[in-house]
Amino acid sequence: MRKNIRLGGTVMVYYGITIGPIVETLAQATTPGSLWYASYMFSKLTEKICEKLSEIDDIQIISPYYTVSENKEKDLKNQPSGKCEGYGKYHDRILFAIREDDVLCKESRNNKDDFFTYNNNLLDNIMDEFIEDIVIDLQYDEVGFNNDDSRKVKEISFIKNYLQVSHISMYDDDSMIVEKHGVINALNYYLDCLEMSRTIFTQQQDYLNGTNLFQRLFYSVDEKESSHGKNVNIKNSKLMKPFISSENFTLLHKDTKEIRSMEDIARYTLEKKTKEGLRKRHYVAIVQADGDNMGKYIKSIEKRCENRGLNLKQEMFHFSKKCMEYTTKSADLIMEYGGIVIFAGGDDLLFLAPIQPSKDKNIYKLIKEISDTFDSVFSAEINQQVGSGKRENKLSLSFGVSMNTEKFPLYEAFTAARNLLFNEAKAGIVKNNIAITLRKGNSVSFGFNMPITSNAFQKYCELVGKYYGLAEKIEEEQKRLNSVIYLFENWGNMFAYALEKNDESVDNVFKNLFDHEIHEYTDEFLKDIKQLAKCVYCQYKSNLTKPIMNTSVVSENGGVKCIIALLHMAKFMIEKDIDEE
């Protein structure tokens, strides 16, 4: 029989709350402003629930990291501090514990879910107050504030049906799943089940012609000018008002205080003089990141608490604090880079960013810096895992990145980044990957999936930084790389044969194919291309790297395809704008 993991030697009841539907709401966003609103709305609801829970004596919030001072106010002194403001910090789940003796409905275990009812209908009251704020935001339209009572009643009804807050509770010895996975993972498992069983809300057809109210809020006048300007509903929202004057709110343009558009993000630069006429100046990256092996690590925390008699709540609380430290530091990195932080909470990140705002900064380098920040914050935990021989289960971070033109539908880009993260980067046994695609046309895209810490990714980042930062001789660099790509595409089988054999064979192929007077290659450039090719092919043979392409490439060899994808993406960094060609 599994020993109970108890706080202070008493029986604990654990609760889990899930809030949604987040992904479905984010997928409706059409502009950076609406994507921010969709994310921050749910984060604010989580924060309000945590705030009310913290007012109840002996409630111990485990996740997210949320502390209060002695007077029950939010404790900012012990929060990880950063410069960036106005982004979602609290994820869609709340885990907390309370002693069994403190649960008001303690007649029997079957009634423990009534905790919220016995605490003055806690969740219902929070929702009613929160919905009032959202309805005020919805009452702005093209002609200003519309305070129509009948419309307001219908809007309240809509939001009550749309927002879904569910909860579950258990004792630490409640079921076989607790026995096997631990109470925290068991709660998360049941919360997963609750999320999958959510009802699908359909809008009444007699209200606004069946329009989803959030679509009205998001579309509104975002796509056209009006007397009130763009993003009028979002900018006038109660959620945004606290950050309007902030210099560290990444959603707003620092000078005009207008909500930044996709075009604003794409053209953002940190340089005084910027090379214009480049294709990348019309592209935006949407990035989603998620922690790897978090469930396994949480299970190890519970096991350690059980074996050593440690306090589970304190250990989990410490882990939650580290998660907030990593996301806070990452948000500052994104802000300094010129991106828009949509969400940075728990172990998740969601942000929009330019491809390259300066000579020394690009999207690949930013992702590497965020990954390094994660490793630094969790260094003690990672070293402990590696030292105990559990390298494959170590904590790490994976990324899904979708790079598209500024005109590409944002909701499609968001879905693409999410699919890259969960269906590519996190799909295999080995995690800590970046799955990235560059869409260059309706039917043409190049991309790859590889470990962030691999030599191949390191060599690629070095190649981009060295030759394709803000190159002065763009035409020469582009011509040179075009010829390299041409040779790999047309002699792919020969490259594959050589890469399969040994270094001498690779050297011979490079010497024969590249040693021509019309190819103005330097020895250093060929050496860098050769090293990249060998690293990528080695990763491919070890099933650690794969191409993600939608194009007609002659070579059938996956390793060569991956090399070609990387070269095309490097060339993109110095490609002229189509209008300039």
Side-chain angles (χ1 to χ4, degrees):
M1 177 63 117
R2 182 179 181 274
K3 293 190 297 181
N4 288 346
I5 303 173
R6 297 172 179 172
L7 309 184
T10 61
V11 177
M12 302 300 298
V13 185
Y14 291 84
Y15 291 84
I17 302 173
T18 179
I19 300 165
I22 291 183
V23 175
E24 293 82 353
T25 308
L26 290 172
Q28 297 175 43
T30 59
T31 64
S34 55
L35 188 65
W36 172 87
Y37 187 97
S39 173
Y40 194 76
M41 175 180 68
F42 288 105
S43 174
K44 193 64 179 179
L45 179 54
T46 298
E47 184 179 6
K48 282 185 174 292
I49 294 174
C50 289
E51 179 184 342
K52 294 298 182 183
L53 286 173
S54 65
E55 294 174 357
I56 302 173
D57 291 336
D58 297 318
I59 285 282
Q60 300 167 332
I61 299 175
I62 297 171
S63 177
Y65 181 74
Y66 189 92
T67 59
V68 293
S69 57
E70 292 181 0
N71 59 358
K72 296 294 183 182
E73 293 181 354
K74 188 174 179 180
D75 185 6
L76 297 177
K77 291 183 179 180
N78 290 316
Q79 294 265 7
S81 59
K83 295 180 180 178
C84 189
E85 295 181 305
Y87 60 90
K89 295 182 179 180
Y90 300 99
H91 49 78
D92 58 338
R93 289 188 176 181
I94 302 170
L95 306 180
F96 68 96
I98 187 169
R99 289 196 300 269
E100 182 183 25
D101 294 341
D102 292 328
V103 179
L104 298 178
C105 49
K106 56 187 177 181
E107 292 87 358
S108 69
R109 286 192 171 191
N110 292 331
N111 289 330
K112 59 183 176 294
D113 275 345
D114 289 336
F115 163 81
F116 295 102
T117 303
Y118 278 82
N119 277 278
N120 301 315
N121 296 310
L122 182 69
L123 287 179
D124 290 340
N125 292 336
I126 295 172
M127 288 297 294
D128 289 342
E129 179 182 331
F130 185 74
I131 287 171
E132 284 286 336
D133 291 343
I134 302 301
V135 166
I136 291 174
D137 295 343
L138 289 170
Q139 288 179 298
Y140 282 94
D141 57 26
E142 288 86 345
V143 296
F145 188 73
N146 189 332
N147 192 20
D148 180 82
D149 287 341
S150 62
R151 171 171 153 172
K152 183 177 179 180
V153 169
K154 291 178 180 179
E155 288 169 341
I156 290 175
S157 175
F158 168 85
I159 299 174
K160 279 188 174 181
N161 282 282
Y162 186 89
L163 298 179
Q164 299 184 36
V165 180
S166 307
H167 59 86
I168 195 166
S169 60
M170 62 175 61
Y171 289 77
D172 57 8
D173 59 353
D174 250 356
S175 65
M176 291 295 292
I177 193 169
V178 173
E179 179 81 19
K180 184 177 180 180
H181 298 289
V183 66
I184 303 299
N185 279 331
L187 275 176
N188 281 318
Y189 169 80
Y190 287 122
L191 290 175
D192 287 340
C193 294
L194 281 175
E195 289 177 3
M196 287 188 290
S197 63
R198 279 176 176 154
T199 58
I200 299 175
F201 174 67
T202 56
Q203 175 60 46
Q204 297 176 1
Q205 293 300 310
D206 61 345
Y207 179 65
L208 292 178
N209 298 319
T211 301
N212 181 315
L213 282 180
F214 286 107
Q215 289 181 348
R216 190 187 78 188
L217 176 69
F218 295 163
Y219 285 82
S220 173
V221 287
D222 289 346
E223 307 295 338
K224 60 183 180 179
E225 294 286 346
S226 76
S227 58
H228 295 276
K230 293 184 177 181
N231 295 294
V232 60
N233 287 6
I234 307 297
K235 192 170 182 181
N236 285 328
S237 68
K238 194 170 182 179
L239 292 180
M240 185 175 288
K241 285 182 179 178
F243 311 110
I244 290 293
S245 60
S246 172
E247 291 295 317
N248 297 318
F249 182 34
T250 58
L251 183 63
L252 297 185
H253 194 286
K254 285 190 176 182
D255 297 327
T256 65
K257 292 302 178 182
E258 293 296 328
I259 295 177
R260 294 165 69 188
S261 65
M262 295 293 279
E263 290 82 357
D264 292 331
I265 302 169
R267 289 163 178 71
Y268 181 83
T269 177
L270 295 168
E271 303 280 359
K272 292 182 179 179
K273 293 183 179 180
T274 305
K275 183 73 176 179
E276 297 296 338
L278 295 179
R279 196 171 185 178
K280 65 187 174 186
R281 299 272 291 157
H282 297 279
Y283 274 69
V284 175
I286 181 167
V287 184
Q288 188 165 0
D290 184 66
D292 303 317
N293 299 312
M294 289 292 177
K296 292 177 181 178
Y297 185 73
I298 288 172
K299 183 179 178 181
S300 72
I301 291 178
E302 293 201 47
K303 188 174 182 179
R304 186 167 67 247
C305 290
E306 181 180 356
N307 293 338
R308 301 180 185 177
L310 302 176
N311 187 306
L312 175 61
K313 182 264 176 182
Q314 289 180 358
E315 293 295 310
M316 282 300 304
F317 193 66
H318 175 71
F319 180 68
S320 296
K321 184 177 182 179
K322 286 228 173 169
C323 287
M324 182 168 279
E325 181 183 349
Y326 132 70
T327 54
T328 300
K329 289 181 176 180
S330 297
D332 283 352
L333 287 174
I334 298 163
M335 180 183 70
E336 292 166 4
Y337 178 86
I340 293 180
V341 186
I342 302 298
F343 181 80
D347 58 329
D348 301 332
L349 296 174
L350 177 62
F351 62 92
L352 301 167
I355 305 302
Q356 184 169 25
S358 71
K359 182 177 181 179
D360 299 325
K361 292 180 181 289
N362 60 60
I363 191 65
Y364 306 108
K365 188 174 180 180
L366 174 63
I367 287 170
K368 186 66 169 63
E369 288 174 348
I370 292 172
S371 179
D372 290 344
T373 297
F374 181 95
D375 291 345
S376 175
V377 171
F378 290 101
S379 59
E381 290 79 2
I382 292 172
N383 291 336
Q384 182 185 47
Q385 289 176 305
V386 173
S388 61
K390 297 180 179 179
R391 185 181 296 270
E392 70 280 2
N393 292 335
K394 77 179 184 72
L395 294 174
S396 61
L397 198 62
S398 287
F399 294 81
V401 186
S402 179
M403 298 195 295
N404 304 276
T405 175
E406 61 203 11
K407 301 296 184 182
F408 191 76
L410 180 56
Y411 55 87
E412 288 189 35
F414 165 74
T415 302
R418 185 172 177 80
N419 287 337
L420 285 167
L421 174 62
F422 292 105
N423 297 335
E424 296 287 350
K426 295 175 70 71
I429 297 175
V430 179
K431 307 293 194 299
N432 197 200
N433 296 324
I434 172 175
I436 182 170
T437 58
L438 167 66
R439 187 188 297 266
K440 298 183 72 174
N442 292 331
S443 59
V444 178
S445 64
F446 299 95
F448 58 84
N449 178 19
M450 68 171 58
I452 297 171
T453 56
S454 66
N455 288 334
F457 187 66
Q458 182 65 33
K459 292 293 182 184
Y460 175 70
C461 291
E462 290 174 359
L463 186 80
V464 170
K466 189 173 183 179
Y467 298 103
Y468 311 114
L470 292 176
E472 294 298 326
K473 300 179 180 179
I474 289 178
E475 291 80 5
E476 293 180 18
E477 294 290 352
Q478 189 169 347
K479 182 179 179 181
R480 185 167 65 170
L481 193 50
N482 274 336
S483 64
V484 173
I485 293 172
Y486 173 84
L487 290 172
F488 268 96
E489 288 182 340
N490 287 274
W491 297 92
N493 291 335
M494 183 179 291
F495 279 108
Y497 176 80
L499 289 164
E500 285 279 359
K501 291 196 71 175
N502 51 47
D503 289 348
E504 183 180 357
S505 297
V506 175
D507 291 340
N508 288 333
V509 168
F510 267 76
K511 183 177 180 179
N512 285 307
L513 291 179
F514 291 96
D515 188 15
H516 195 285
E517 60 183 12
I518 66 171
H519 297 148
E520 298 179 358
Y521 306 117
T522 64
D523 291 340
E524 185 178 10
F525 175 76
L526 285 181
K527 180 181 177 181
D528 291 337
I529 294 292
K530 190 189 304 181
Q531 288 181 341
L532 174 66
K534 289 195 289 187
C535 287
V536 171
Y537 201 85
C538 180
Q539 289 284 127
Y540 171 76
K541 292 294 291 182
S542 301
N543 294 320
L544 297 176
T545 293
K546 63 179 262 189
I548 307 173
M549 302 172 69
N550 183 20
T551 184
S552 55
V553 175
V554 177
S555 176
E556 296 180 356
N557 184 278
V560 174
K561 280 186 176 181
C562 198
I563 295 168
I564 292 170
L566 287 161
L567 294 175
H568 270 287
M569 295 178 78
K571 182 169 75 76
F572 168 76
M573 303 297 284
I574 53 171
E575 280 183 354
K576 285 186 176 182
D577 188 4
I578 296 176
D579 295 335
E580 299 288 330
E581 294 178 349

